[in-house]
Amino acid sequence: MSSENQATTDAPPLTEEIAPGTATDPPVRSEESVTVTVDGTAVTIPPESTLIDAVEAVDTEESVPALCHYGREEIGPRSECRTCMVETDAHGVVPACSFPPEEDMTIRTDADAASEARDVNLDLVLSDHNLRCTTCGKNGRCELQDAAIEQEVEEPRYGVLDDRGEYEPLDDSSSFIQIDRNKCILCNRCVEACNDVQVEGVLRMEGSGKDTRIGFQSDAETMDDSACVSCGHCATVCPTGSLVEKGIEDATTLPLPGFTQKNSIGKVHESSGSSTGPMTPKKHDKEPTSDTPPSEASTSDDEGTDETDVWTDDANSGEWP
């Protein structure tokens, strides 16, 4: 057996190498059921809750967006966007999505300090977002857009991404997922869905400060070059139009002649014409045994593998098999 084959045989499972997205999630959930008061209304919330669960259980006067909060599938809490700030009697203004409730705690969503904090933080999120909603496929079904409308934002106080001309190229290379980092609010939902729910280990957060972005654990430059298996879970949990399944990326775009998302932001990473299929072969090939050449092991029990390993847009007319 060659050294290359030996390395393939001894390679650890993929899940031993990925960086879980929830590794730094704080242990902030309550251990027991507690009763708290939200804007004058008492509510009992179950174990494993945070303050956002109490806020969402009450018909509050103020809107509390919680854009980076997902609340399902053990995704988060991340407490990244801070658009869910509320005021408590014991701890002052705190992020509701990542703060544990305490018995008899009093929570105010309509306190001036909490309301101002939510407004400022929402404007900060909007300042790093591409606000060309009319050319976005998530127009009308975007959580950030909903929050801006509910908070009656007319013009973000810190400007918008368009003012600074700092657009990243649109990653349209994959046949299944489109990435537009100019719409990303760095909520981390997609990373956790990819790593901790689907256990695929494709996405990651990379960089720091204003250079923080969604990247790939394989250091790939584009989605087409990554190890993506096209499950689509990242697009499902994305609160904006940053990750969208292909085929619906223009689903709710308003028709403006000559003006599209692609031609308005500059460079686009286009599809090469062929890409990996819905399931990448390397994760589903039969693992070679010590007495079976890898080339035979990968095809002996999987007739037609060579035909389905590479998904060719032209040959399949863009349709799923």
Side-chain angles (χ1 to χ4, degrees):
M1 180 178 294
S2 68
S3 59
E4 181 179 352
N5 292 340
Q6 182 67 49
T8 302
T9 302
D10 295 341
L14 179 62
T15 51
E16 292 186 13
E17 296 183 329
I18 69 172
T22 53
T24 56
D25 284 346
V28 294
R29 301 180 186 279
S30 61
E31 296 181 355
E32 300 176 347
S33 295
V34 296
T35 299
V36 300
T37 301
V38 181
D39 293 348
T41 301
V43 58
T44 299
I45 49 180
E48 299 296 315
S49 297
T50 63
L51 294 188
I52 195 65
D53 297 303
V55 171
E56 291 180 346
V58 174
D59 185 17
T60 60
E61 290 290 334
E62 295 277 329
S63 172
V64 181
L67 290 170
C68 68
H69 170 69
Y70 191 63
R72 301 185 293 277
E73 302 172 350
E74 299 183 356
I75 294 177
R78 297 294 300 185
S79 196
E80 297 283 354
C81 68
R82 303 290 176 121
T83 58
C84 63
M85 305 299 284
V86 297
E87 185 172 275
T88 65
D89 55 343
H91 304 282
V93 178
V94 298
C97 75
S98 61
F99 204 88
E102 300 171 0
E103 188 66 26
D104 298 326
M105 177 182 280
T106 296
I107 303 163
R108 304 295 311 187
T109 66
D110 55 357
D112 289 342
S115 180
E116 178 66 12
R118 291 196 300 272
D119 287 345
V120 168
N121 291 331
L122 178 59
D123 280 351
L124 286 171
V125 172
L126 289 169
S127 72
D128 281 330
H129 182 77
N130 179 359
L131 294 182
R132 294 178 173 177
C133 300
T134 55
T135 64
C136 179
K138 290 288 284 293
N139 184 28
R141 48 194 181 95
C142 166
E143 294 181 36
L144 178 58
Q145 186 182 43
D146 291 343
I149 293 173
E150 290 173 356
Q151 298 294 90
E152 300 180 346
V153 177
E154 295 183 357
E155 185 174 346
R157 72 192 75 183
Y158 306 113
V160 296
L161 184 62
D162 199 35
D163 297 335
R164 301 192 293 277
E166 298 175 342
Y167 288 115
E168 283 205 55
L170 178 73
D171 187 349
D172 199 39
S173 62
S174 167
S175 299
F176 304 97
I177 303 291
Q178 182 188 79
I179 302 180
D180 185 353
R181 293 181 175 84
N182 305 300
K183 300 172 184 174
C184 179
I185 63 171
L186 303 176
C187 67
N188 206 64
R189 290 186 189 180
C190 59
V191 177
E192 295 196 31
C194 179
N195 299 338
D196 300 339
V197 181
Q198 296 298 128
V199 201
E200 297 296 345
V202 177
L203 300 176
R204 71 179 178 190
M205 300 290 287
E206 61 185 22
S208 60
K210 67 180 183 61
D211 296 323
T212 305
R213 68 201 292 268
I214 299 297
F216 304 103
Q217 294 197 26
S218 62
D219 291 326
E221 180 63 24
T222 66
M223 180 66 96
D224 193 30
D225 292 333
S226 75
C228 176
V229 299
S230 310
C231 71
H233 204 161
C234 57
T236 301
V237 303
C238 180
T240 68
S242 184
L243 288 141
V244 181
E245 292 184 40
K246 296 296 288 290
I248 61 173
E249 69 270 31
D250 298 321
T252 55
T253 297
L254 294 181
L256 297 176
F259 185 74
T260 67
Q261 182 64 25
K262 283 187 177 181
N263 68 25
S264 66
I265 65 171
K267 187 176 180 181
V268 177
H269 293 307
E270 298 283 4
S271 171
S272 62
S274 64
S275 62
T276 55
M279 301 298 287
T280 50
K282 77 173 188 177
K283 289 191 176 183
H284 295 272
D285 280 354
K286 181 179 179 180
E287 186 173 325
T289 59
S290 58
D291 56 355
T292 304
S295 59
E296 294 181 16
S298 64
T299 57
S300 59
D301 290 339
D302 189 7
E303 293 184 8
T305 298
D306 288 344
E307 297 179 358
T308 58
D309 281 354
V310 177
W311 177 252
T312 304
D313 291 339
D314 294 340
N316 294 281
S317 301
E319 299 294 335
W320 291 71

